[in-house]
Amino acid sequence: MEFKFDKNGNRDFLVKAKVAIIVGYFYQNIGDKLLSAAQETLARYGINVNNINVFYAPGAFEIPLLAKKLASQQLSGKNLYDGIVALGAVINGETTHFEFICNECARGVADVSYQYEIPTAFGILTTNNMEQTIGRAGGYKGNKGEEATMAMIEMLYLMQQVDTQTF
């Protein structure tokens, strides 16, 4: 048996889902473009707009802590959020600061997924310059906000399939 999310046949998949989006707001205009694409993607799969909570972190380094706090929230013994999408941008400068921020952000977001088994998507752009960043926030390379949100949706689907499979 194969398990794969049908992008055309699951337009109401998120009807009952609750999703948190974290936006690293150091580059506000980039964060806005990534967020807009993420919200549009969630809407495409039927989420109730009231079931999307958006949190603004000062920058990429702070995103994992906020993601961990959101993932740990429970309501009646069940995870409050079905999925988390982390968005933002880190642009390479003249020092090694870029590597430290990117590595810790990526590791932290991945750790949240592993620790809480909640699909937590990494939509933080890690680029060499502003041109590359703009290109990935709705420009010539698409919008990574949409791609990260789609990854979260597909993982949510797969996690549900794993939980309910029988032989």
Side-chain angles (χ1 to χ4, degrees):
M1 182 173 241
E2 291 184 357
F3 298 96
K4 184 177 181 184
F5 184 75
D6 180 358
K7 293 179 182 179
N8 296 316
N10 283 306
R11 295 299 180 175
D12 61 349
F13 177 68
L14 297 176
V15 167
K16 296 180 182 178
K18 186 158 182 104
V19 172
I21 301 174
I22 304 169
V23 181
Y25 231 58
F26 190 81
Y27 296 102
Q28 181 176 346
N29 60 332
I30 300 300
D32 288 344
K33 290 176 183 179
L34 297 170
L35 174 61
S36 179
Q39 290 171 320
E40 289 170 11
T41 304
L42 293 171
R44 194 172 334 140
Y45 292 98
I47 198 162
N48 179 330
V49 69
N50 295 321
N51 286 344
I52 304 170
N53 288 340
V54 180
F55 298 86
Y56 296 95
F61 189 79
E62 293 78 19
I63 289 173
L65 176 60
L66 187 52
K68 181 178 180 179
K69 184 69 172 176
L70 293 169
S72 71
Q73 292 186 324
Q74 301 260 317
L75 183 64
S76 303
K78 183 179 178 275
N79 291 335
L80 181 60
Y81 293 102
D82 298 295
I84 299 170
V85 179
L87 304 171
V90 183
I91 301 174
N92 198 359
E94 297 176 359
T95 69
T96 57
H97 181 78
F98 173 81
E99 285 84 14
F100 293 117
I101 298 299
C102 294
N103 290 340
E104 290 306 306
C105 183
R107 183 193 56 79
V109 170
D111 285 351
V112 169
S113 278
Y114 306 148
Q115 183 177 355
Y116 293 96
E117 295 186 4
I118 294 174
T120 306
F122 185 79
I124 290 90
L125 306 177
T126 55
T127 58
N128 288 316
N129 54 54
M130 185 57 81
E131 180 186 347
Q132 289 178 348
T133 307
I134 292 168
R136 289 155 177 77
Y140 68 97
K141 290 283 191 176
N143 192 306
K144 301 305 178 185
E146 176 184 6
E147 290 178 23
T149 304
M150 210 53 240
M152 183 278 300
I153 292 169
E154 291 183 44
M155 285 304 298
L156 178 58
Y157 171 82
L158 291 169
M159 297 290 282
Q160 289 177 1
Q161 296 306 304
V162 169
D163 286 344
T164 59
Q165 67 179 320
T166 58
F167 292 94

